[in-house]
Amino acid sequence: QKERVVTEEEWLQKWETGKTGFHKEQGHPLLQKYLDVLLNGRSGLRIFFPLCGKAVEMKWLADMGHRVVGAEISEQALKEFFTERGVPYREEPVPGISGAKMLQSMSGNISLYCCSIYDLSSAIVGKFDGVWDRGALVAVNPCDRQRYASLMISLMEKSSSYLLVTVSYDPNKHKGPPFYVPETEIKSLFGKLCEIKCLEKANDFSDRHREWGLDYFLEVLYILKFVA
Ligand code: SAH
């Protein structure tokens, strides 16, 4: 899978043609289950959703009083998020990133940047107390993983919590995305600056994975604590 590159154009096409089988309309059970680990008793957090798609969990967290920031290249995905969740929004240009927009809920607690995640920096979006990374690291092209991990670390506040969902399957049988990112690689990407703990390996095998030619598919959840 190392050499595989999915272009931004291909992602936009997936949204245009409705090939978005990764979207979970009911939200993600692992976030529900491990919400306390992410929040760690804190309230009013700033939480980042990299490569957010139209993840419904953004609405959950905003409804609990947190401030949510997302990044996504597909404007269609972001508009569908606000429309389908029934959240009124406005659009604004982003100073510092030409061509980018921010779609923000009228109440101001959900701010979704329509641009490549690599255009962001802490100068533009600030730093975060929590991260929900599902379908994000595993969607990043393998050649960009190091750059992605360095960016994510630069966006984390000290002692922030980062819930990371990866997937495990036989990478000889499916080209990805999602890409298989083994635990050894999580450690080399984040281990210098973060404590890493595996919280759960959950079976997520479905017809979709069977059609890909797989015979098992697991989701692996980690908690990363930024300690440096
Ligand atoms: N996290 C979401 C979406 C996962 S699919 C979920 O759990 O449902 C990966 C998403 O990343 C797609 O919506 C794709 O359009 C977006 N994407 C791909 N490359 C990106 C980039 N460089 N910057 C921002 N978003 C990107």
Side-chain angles (χ1 to χ4, degrees), residues 21-24 28 30 49-53 55 57 131-139 148 162-167 204 208 217 219:
F22 49 80
H23 175 68
K24 281 203 189 295
H28 204 292
L30 288 175
F49 281 67
L51 281 66
C52 61
E57 302 88 354
V131 176
W132 172 246
D133 180 321
R134 184 268 173 179
L137 173 66
V138 297
Y148 173 84
Y162 184 140
L163 282 180
L164 169 64
V165 184
T166 64
V167 293
D204 189 44
R208 184 167 167 249
F217 188 92
E219 285 189 315

Side-chain angles (χ1 to χ4, degrees), residues 8 11 15 22 51-53 72-73 115-118 134-135 139:
E8 293 192 3
W11 280 110
W15 280 102
F22 49 80
L51 281 66
C52 61
E72 167 60 54
I73 43 172
C115 61
S116 171
I117 185 141
Y118 305 114
R134 184 268 173 179

Side-chain angles (χ1 to χ4, degrees), residues 128-206:
F128 298 96
D129 309 301
V131 176
W132 172 246
D133 180 321
R134 184 268 173 179
L137 173 66
V138 297
V140 161
N141 290 319
C143 59
D144 293 325
R145 260 177 217 156
Q146 184 64 61
R147 180 183 180 197
Y148 173 84
S150 304
L151 171 65
M152 293 305 291
I153 289 171
S154 75
L155 298 180
M156 290 166 80
E157 286 285 8
K158 284 222 169 68
S159 77
S160 54
S161 325
Y162 184 140
L163 282 180
L164 169 64
V165 184
T166 64
V167 293
S168 177
Y169 61 85
D170 182 349
N172 299 309
K173 294 188 172 171
H174 177 61
K175 60 185 174 23
F179 298 105
Y180 169 57
V181 188
E183 181 154 359
T184 48
E185 195 166 348
I186 304 296
K187 287 189 172 143
S188 71
L189 289 170
F190 294 98
K192 273 201 193 109
L193 299 166
C194 300
E195 270 171 26
I196 302 169
K197 195 163 107 188
C198 179
L199 296 174
E200 184 164 332
K201 295 186 180 172
N203 177 30
D204 189 44
F205 191 67
S206 69

Side-chain angles (χ1 to χ4, degrees), residues 84-146:
E84 291 172 9
R85 298 302 122 211
V87 177
Y89 68 97
R90 58 180 166 239
E91 294 182 24
E92 284 173 19
V94 181
I97 314 176
S98 74
K101 304 188 195 181
M102 179 178 63
L103 280 65
Q104 188 175 51
S105 62
M106 287 310 228
S107 53
N109 56 348
I110 305 178
S111 307
L112 307 182
Y113 288 82
C114 186
C115 61
S116 171
I117 185 141
Y118 305 114
D119 292 334
L120 298 180
S121 65
S122 60
I124 294 171
V125 291
K127 294 202 181 203
F128 298 96
D129 309 301
V131 176
W132 172 246
D133 180 321
R134 184 268 173 179
L137 173 66
V138 297
V140 161
N141 290 319
C143 59
D144 293 325
R145 260 177 217 156
Q146 184 64 61

